[in-house]
Amino acid sequence: MSFRLFYYSLLLFCGAIVFANPGERRNSFYAENPPVIDGILNDDVWQQAGQVTGFQTFVPDFSQKMEHKTIAYWSHDEENLYFAFKCFDEPNMIKTSVAARDKIQDDDWVCINLDSFNDRQTLYGFYINPNGIQMDTRFAGGRDDAGIDMIWYSAGQIDDEGYTVEIKIPFKSIRYAVKDGQVDMGVIFERRISRLSTQGTFPALDPGQGLNFLTQTMPLHFDRVKKTTLLELLPAVTYGNSKIREEGETIADDQADLSLTAKYGITSDLILDATYNPDFSQVEADALQVEVNQRFPVFFPERRPFFQEGSEHFTHAGGSGRAEIRNIVNTRSIVNPITAGKLTGKIGNSNIISVIGAVDELDTAYNANVGVVRYKRAFTRDSYLGGFWTGRNEDDFFNLVYGLDGQYRINDASLVSGYLFNSGTREDINASVTNVHAAAANFSVRNRTVNYGGGYTNIGQDFQSAVGFVTRTGIVKYNVFYSPKFYPKESLIKRIDPLVYVSYTLDKPSGLYEYSYFTRTNITLPRNTRLNVSANSSNEIFEGQKFDRSSISLDARSQLTKRIFISGNYRWQRRPNYGESEQGRGKSIRGSLIFQFSDNLNSEWRYNYTNLFNSETGEKYFDIHILSSRNTYQINKYMFFRAIVQYNSLTQVLSPNFLASFTYIPGTVVHFGYGAVLDRREWDPETREYFEGSRHTAKAQGLFFKASYLWRH
C-alpha cells in the first residue's frame, strides 16, 4: 500500500460520516435544597430525583440480572451535579477499604461514566468504594488514563441492607458545553461486586456492541446551569536535603523551590493552563519493573498534574498500548520545564484541541523548546479525524512530527482506524532534514461472542519522535487475531476467552522476516479469580540476526478472601541477550501477596525474578531478584503513613522510603518523606577503588517536604 493511497483512504472513511440520532434524553431534577454529602440517603432531593434500577451484567456475561439490586439517582443545581447509589448486598461480604485515592481497583465500587459533552469521544470515570474513597479516570481513543485527579466530593456508608454512596461533582471540575443554561451529557452507571467477579450497568450494554461504552450512554439534560468562570492558582513550596557519598566523601545539598501554576477557563469547555518552575516531584513511585536487557526504554505513565488536563486526546488511532509507536506525544519527554503553557478543550460542537508549549531545562548550555498541537474533529458515535504536530529543538538537534489519524465506526461492533505521520529530523545544524514516513491501518470487530481483526504497520527506518515514545522503526508488519468467547452454563467457570494471534514482520535493515504465532486462554472464576495459559512460537531480528523468542506462560490471580489477594506468573522463554547479540534462554517469576489487615491497614509484598543464560554454553548472563514491601496505614481518606522497602540482588541495593501524606483535595497537599539508597560498596582511599563490604551503608539519602494550596474561584 502506498502512503498516498493510505492518506486518501483515511480522509475518505472519516469524511464520509453522517450524524446519528442520539436517542431519547432524560431530564434531571433541579435541587433547590442540595443534599448533604454524608453517604446517607435521607435528603428530600433523593425522593424527587431521577432514578434507575434493573442493572444488567456485562462481566462475565452480558444481559444477566445482577445478583444484588442497585438503584442510581441523579440531580443537580446551578453549580453541581449530584449522584447517589443504593447497593443492596450482604454487609459482612462487602469488599472495601479506607485507602489512598485511586487505590480501590480490587474493592467493590460503583462508577459514573460521564460523557460531559454527549459527543461520544471521551468519558470521565468517577469511581467510589463503599467507604466513599475515590478513583477517577479519563477515557479516549481506546485507552483509560488513571493519572487524572479531579476535585469532587463523595461519602459512603455500610448498613444492614448493603451500602450507599453520595457524590457531588462541581461543574467547574469537568469540561462541558452550556448554552442559555442548558447542558446535555451522557451517562452509564456501573457497579462491581468483587467476590462474584461481576460488573453490571444501567443502561444495559448491548451484546452486539460489546464493551464500547462511548456509543451506549444514556442522555441526560440539565437546565438552569450557571455560566461561571474558572480560575485556579496553585502555589507550591518544596524543600529537599540530600547527602551523597562519593569516593569516601559526603556531599550535602539543600534546595528550596517555589512554583506557581494557574488555570483559567476561557469558556466552560476551553481551558488555559500555565506554570512557572513547576514542582514535578513524584509522591507515587513508578511501578516496579525489570530494566535489564531491554531493546528499548521502559515506558512509564504520566502522573504529573500539569500535563493531565486534555492528555486523553494525545492517544492516536491505529495503534495500541503495545504498538511500535506507543505515543506520538509522551509528555514525560519534557523532563524539567522552566515554564510551560497549555490550551485544551473544545471549540464549537465538534472541534477538540490540545496545545502545549514548554521550555525544558537541560544539563547543557542550551535549553530545549518543545511544542505540541493536537486537533480532532468529532463525528457521529466515536468516529473522528485528527491531526498532530510536535516539535523539539535543542542546540543543533531538531525533530518535527506531523500527520493525520482517525477512526470510523462502521456499525455497532466494527471499527477501522489508522494514521499517517511524517518525521523530519536534523541531527546537526549543517545537515539537511531527513523525512521519514510511518503509517498504520487496523480493522476490528468486538461483541459478546467474538473479537477478531487485523492490521498493517509500516514505519521508516529513521523515523523519530523526540516528543513521543517509539519502540522500533524500520518494519513492515501484518497481523490478525481471533478470539471467540464461551460462557459455560451451571459451571464454576464463568467465562473462557481463547485467543489466536499471528503476525509477520519485515525487518527493513536486514530484509529478513519475523513471525509470531501466539495463543492464550483466559478463564474467569468467582472471587475475582482469573487463570491464564499462553504459548508463543516466534523469532526476532536484531542487528541482522534471527533470535528465537518462543515462550510458555502461566498466570493466576485471586481474591481469596476480602482481606487476602494473591497473584503469580511463571514464564519460560527464549530471548536474545541484546548486549552480546547472543541467543539466550531463561525464566521469570512474579508474585504478589496483599494483606488488608483492616479497612485502614494494608501490606503488599511483591517478588520479581528473572534470569538469562546462553543457550549453547549455559553461561549465566544475569540472575536478578527484586523484592519489595509496601505498607500503608490510612488514618482517614485524607492522611496516610507509608513505608516502602525494596531490594535488588543485581545491584545489591536496598532502598527504604517513608512518607507521611495529607491530601485535602487534589492540589491542597502536605507531604513529608525520607528516602535512602544503601549498597555494599566501600571506598579504599589507598587504591582509590571501591570494594564489596560486609554490610549495607547509605550511598545516598534525603529528606523532602512539599506543601501546596489550591485556590479556586
Side-chain angles (χ1 to χ4, degrees):
M1 178 188 290
S2 71
F3 287 105
R4 185 182 299 273
L5 177 59
F6 181 86
Y7 175 82
Y8 287 119
S9 298
L10 187 63
L11 287 176
L12 180 63
F13 78 68
C14 289
I17 303 170
V18 295
F19 288 90
N21 185 349
E24 183 180 356
R25 70 185 186 186
R26 302 195 184 205
N27 293 323
S28 174
F29 173 74
Y30 187 90
E32 299 288 353
N33 298 305
V36 177
I37 306 302
D38 56 7
I40 303 173
L41 305 186
N42 58 357
D43 304 278
D44 291 340
V45 63
W46 302 126
Q47 307 305 315
Q48 305 174 69
Q51 61 175 274
V52 292
T53 188
F55 281 54
Q56 294 188 19
T57 64
F58 66 94
V59 174
D61 195 2
F62 288 81
S63 305
Q64 307 296 311
K65 182 180 178 181
M66 290 196 75
E67 185 169 325
H68 297 285
K69 182 180 178 181
T70 309
I71 307 173
Y73 307 82
W74 68 93
S75 181
H76 76 286
D77 60 23
E78 63 179 7
E79 294 185 344
N80 302 285
L81 296 168
Y82 301 102
F83 296 95
F85 288 82
K86 173 66 177 177
C87 299
F88 293 85
D89 203 346
E90 302 170 54
N92 62 328
M93 301 297 289
I94 294 171
K95 172 71 174 71
T96 189
S97 61
V98 179
R101 187 187 184 98
D102 297 331
K103 301 299 182 184
I104 63 169
Q105 297 93 328
D106 294 322
D107 286 351
D108 291 354
W109 45 252
V110 292
C111 178
I112 303 155
N113 298 278
L114 190 66
D115 179 358
S116 61
F117 287 105
N118 198 32
D119 62 359
R120 292 161 174 78
Q121 296 295 316
T122 57
L123 282 176
Y124 290 106
F126 298 93
Y127 298 78
I128 314 95
N129 80 354
N131 283 333
I133 306 301
Q134 301 174 357
M135 179 172 73
D136 37 25
T137 64
R138 192 81 162 117
F139 176 85
R143 302 186 203 178
D144 218 4
D145 182 5
I148 190 170
D149 283 323
M150 295 172 287
I151 298 173
W152 51 294
Y153 307 92
S154 60
Q157 295 278 348
I158 296 176
D159 55 35
D160 292 340
E161 296 181 315
Y163 68 92
T164 58
V165 297
E166 289 182 296
I167 305 100
K168 180 175 79 172
I169 304 172
F171 279 106
K172 285 185 177 181
S173 296
I174 60 177
R175 309 300 157 240
Y176 62 100
V178 56
K179 185 177 181 181
D180 299 328
Q182 309 299 306
V183 175
D184 287 295
M185 300 186 184
V187 70
I188 293 180
F189 298 109
E190 183 180 2
R191 181 183 177 185
R192 178 179 191 263
I193 305 176
S194 175
R195 71 183 184 278
L196 301 179
S197 299
T198 298
Q199 287 174 237
T201 64
F202 189 98
L205 297 186
D206 177 8
Q209 299 187 55
L211 299 180
N212 186 23
F213 275 55
L214 281 170
T215 61
Q216 303 184 64
T217 57
M218 178 179 73
L220 294 180
H221 179 73
F222 306 90
D223 62 359
R224 290 183 276 173
V225 176
K226 183 180 178 181
K227 188 174 183 179
T228 59
T229 299
L230 172 65
L231 178 61
E232 291 182 356
L233 295 176
L234 181 63
V237 57
T238 58
Y239 169 77
N241 174 270
S242 64
K243 296 179 181 179
I244 301 176
R245 175 171 52 87
E246 289 288 350
E247 298 183 355
E249 296 184 1
T250 300
I251 302 172
D253 182 40
D254 290 289
Q255 188 173 11
D257 275 314
L258 295 173
S259 67
L260 179 64
T261 300
K263 185 187 294 286
Y264 175 68
I266 300 173
T267 65
S268 63
D269 50 4
L270 188 63
I271 304 297
L272 177 65
D273 292 85
T275 186
Y276 175 74
N277 193 30
D279 167 49
F280 287 153
S281 58
Q282 296 291 299
V283 175
E284 289 295 328
D286 287 321
L288 174 66
Q289 298 194 53
V290 175
E291 299 183 57
V292 176
N293 196 41
Q294 299 292 328
R295 184 169 183 173
F296 49 85
V298 175
F299 179 83
F300 292 101
E302 180 64 86
R303 290 292 181 264
R304 299 174 297 178
F306 175 80
F307 290 110
Q308 287 303 315
E309 181 81 47
S311 63
E312 66 275 7
H313 297 301
F314 290 139
T315 59
H316 63 272
S320 68
R322 296 179 178 269
E324 289 77 11
I325 300 181
R326 179 159 184 171
N327 291 95
I328 285 296
V329 178
N330 174 31
T331 51
R332 284 193 71 155
S333 67
I334 307 172
V335 179
N336 188 28
I338 301 171
T339 183
K342 186 170 52 155
L343 180 68
T344 56
K346 292 190 72 173
I347 301 174
N349 294 328
S350 304
N351 304 295
I352 303 166
I353 188 169
S354 296
V355 180
I356 296 176
V359 178
D360 197 10
E361 186 176 14
L362 305 177
D363 294 329
T364 65
Y366 300 92
N367 294 320
N369 297 310
V370 181
V372 174
V373 178
R374 170 58 156 157
Y375 171 77
K376 293 172 70 174
R377 174 73 178 184
F379 296 102
T380 186
R381 297 187 177 182
D382 53 348
S383 303
Y384 74 86
L385 176 64
F388 278 97
W389 180 95
T390 73
R392 185 178 179 97
N393 183 18
E394 52 184 76
D395 196 7
D396 291 342
F397 175 82
F398 170 78
N399 174 254
L400 173 69
V401 176
Y402 59 89
L404 296 172
D405 76 309
Q407 65 182 34
Y408 172 50
R409 184 158 296 280
I410 301 171
N411 55 38
D412 288 345
S414 304
L415 186 74
V416 292
S417 63
Y419 64 75
L420 174 61
F421 299 131
N422 180 79
S423 168
T425 306
R426 185 189 65 206
E427 300 286 353
D428 186 86
I429 191 67
N430 298 315
S432 59
V433 175
T434 301
N435 289 289
V436 183
H437 298 292
N442 288 280
F443 168 74
S444 65
V445 174
R446 300 178 185 273
N447 55 38
R448 175 186 178 269
T449 58
V450 67
N451 294 346
Y452 64 88
Y456 160 84
T457 303
N458 189 334
I459 305 174
Q461 184 173 345
D462 296 318
F463 185 92
Q464 290 191 48
S465 178
V467 184
F469 189 87
V470 180
T471 62
R472 189 176 177 186
T473 60
I475 63 165
V476 178
K477 180 179 179 180
Y478 303 88
N479 68 279
V480 294
F481 69 91
Y482 181 76
S483 177
K485 304 174 189 298
F486 302 98
Y487 306 90
K489 301 288 186 182
E490 305 298 329
S491 171
L492 180 67
I493 297 175
K494 302 298 182 181
R495 177 168 156 178
I496 303 174
D497 294 51
L499 167 69
V500 176
Y501 171 90
V502 178
S503 72
Y504 287 92
T505 302
L506 169 65
D507 180 67
K508 292 183 179 182
S510 66
L512 301 175
Y513 276 90
E514 297 176 357
Y515 66 86
S516 177
Y517 306 112
F518 176 79
T519 180
R520 182 188 67 204
T521 300
N522 286 328
I523 300 174
T524 302
L525 299 101
R527 291 201 171 278
N528 195 20
T529 301
R530 290 186 184 141
L531 304 177
N532 178 308
V533 181
S534 64
N536 184 28
S537 176
S538 64
N539 66 1
E540 177 183 7
I541 310 301
F542 179 68
E543 294 187 346
Q545 301 180 58
K546 285 189 176 182
F547 294 94
D548 192 351
R549 290 280 299 185
S550 300
S551 66
I552 298 174
S553 179
L554 304 173
D555 188 270
R557 53 170 289 170
S558 180
Q559 188 77 49
L560 294 181
T561 72
K562 72 176 184 177
R563 299 294 189 193
I564 302 176
F565 176 88
I566 61 170
S567 68
N569 171 271
Y570 173 86
R571 171 174 291 191
W572 177 90
Q573 60 187 332
R574 296 184 181 276
R575 55 178 173 144
N577 180 340
Y578 296 110
E580 304 293 335
S581 294
E582 295 176 345
Q583 179 66 58
R585 58 173 173 80
K587 63 183 178 181
S588 64
I589 300 172
R590 290 184 290 110
S592 69
L593 176 61
I594 302 176
F595 284 105
Q596 188 77 42
F597 290 104
S598 68
D599 283 359
N600 302 77
L601 181 59
N602 177 277
S603 181
E604 302 179 22
W605 294 81
R606 299 185 184 275
Y607 174 69
N608 197 334
Y609 169 76
T610 185
N611 64 27
L612 189 65
F613 296 84
N614 186 294
S615 291
E616 294 184 1
T617 66
E619 175 192 357
K620 182 169 69 175
Y621 294 123
F622 57 80
D623 189 3
I624 307 171
H625 302 262
I626 301 177
L627 178 66
S628 69
S629 173
R630 178 189 183 108
N631 304 278
T632 305
Y633 180 65
Q634 191 83 32
I635 298 175
N636 51 44
K637 65 180 180 180
Y638 304 112
M639 188 171 184
F640 68 80
F641 295 98
R642 188 180 69 201
I644 300 176
V645 180
Q646 180 172 305
Y647 177 74
N648 186 316
S649 68
L650 182 66
T651 59
Q652 295 189 336
V653 167
L654 181 67
S655 304
N657 292 273
F658 305 95
L659 176 69
S661 176
F662 174 82
T663 301
Y664 181 65
I665 57 174
T668 299
V669 301
V670 178
H671 303 304
F672 180 80
Y674 168 81
V677 176
L678 289 73
D679 64 18
R680 296 175 62 179
R681 294 188 309 159
E682 294 188 19
W683 177 255
D684 188 333
E686 295 183 2
T687 63
R688 299 194 61 79
E689 293 181 349
Y690 283 102
F691 66 94
E692 184 175 324
S694 59
R695 61 189 181 89
H696 282 83
T697 57
K699 175 184 177 183
Q701 55 186 317
L703 294 167
F704 82 92
F705 170 81
K706 173 183 177 179
S708 62
Y709 176 76
L710 179 65
W711 177 84
R712 170 184 273 196
H713 174 70

